[in-house]
Amino acid sequence: MATYCDLHIHSCLSPCADDDMTPWNLVGMARVKGLDVIALTDHNTALNTPEAAAAGEAYGVQVIPGMEVTSREEVHMLGYFPSVREALAAGEEVYAHLPDVKNQPALFGNQIIVGAEDTPSGTLEKLLINATDLSVGEVCDLIRAHGGVPVPAHINRGSNGMIGALGLMPFLPEYPVVEVYPGVACPAYAVKGRFVLHSSDAHRLEDLQERTFTLDALPTAGDVMRLLRAMDGRKSGI
Ligand SMILES: [Zn+2]
Ligand SMILES: [Zn+2]
């Protein structure tokens, strides 16, 4: 079954995302775009995933609670979790590994926590776009310890993609699932034998993905997680 997905979306809690990327707005936009399953993946926190899940229930869009963790090598690593509870627990650990540097909203943007009924309930103090002190391997371990699936984000894009940050893409069986940013060249060796995701990395409502990427799964968060976990568990190539 072809399930339309966008598994990399930021909310207004990420300083670099628009303030109108509230959970209800972004889930509503996913509904308008006809997406079946999305993931909310803010930088180094999962605090807006409860409200995204609530919006998903109301709008009939399945939401995977996620996060985009920055390793100390500046690699962006997506984590997809089986439940909001696990995402929040992982997020709390990751946040504790951020340096004690305060966000300056005028410089970096607001970090808005959204509570019930899409109402702002506070802001996060530490600057979320900093790197944690966790190695990329430790980030993977942390995500898996919470039942999650680690996926290197936009491996082919910029200094925060794994290829740019590490200088090369490690070989299998490391990182059996990767995200490749569409429209940017990606060396063939980096994806050979790997399960590849394409997502929007949207920071603005209009940038959410159209119906362009499907996974062979039922249109539920649970079945997409089942597929990702199966792909993450493979020890060899396709
Ligand atoms: Zn990123
Ligand atoms: Zn991102």
Side-chain angles (χ1 to χ4, degrees), residues 8 10 43 68 76-78 153-154 157 160-161 179 201 203:
H8 188 163
H10 292 267
H43 291 291
E68 185 176 22
H76 283 187
M77 180 72 66
L78 296 162
H154 45 69
R157 197 191 73 199
N160 298 119
E179 182 196 76
D201 196 6
H203 288 68

Side-chain angles (χ1 to χ4, degrees), residues 77-100:
M77 180 72 66
L78 296 162
Y80 299 118
F81 297 95
S83 67
V84 166
R85 194 171 54 86
E86 290 292 357
L88 288 173
E92 207 169 305
E93 278 185 47
V94 167
Y95 187 78
H97 283 278
L98 280 171
D100 218 355

Side-chain angles (χ1 to χ4, degrees), residues 34 50 63 88 106 133 186 206 218:
V63 179
L88 288 173
D133 61 5
C186 185
E206 59 266 38
L218 299 174

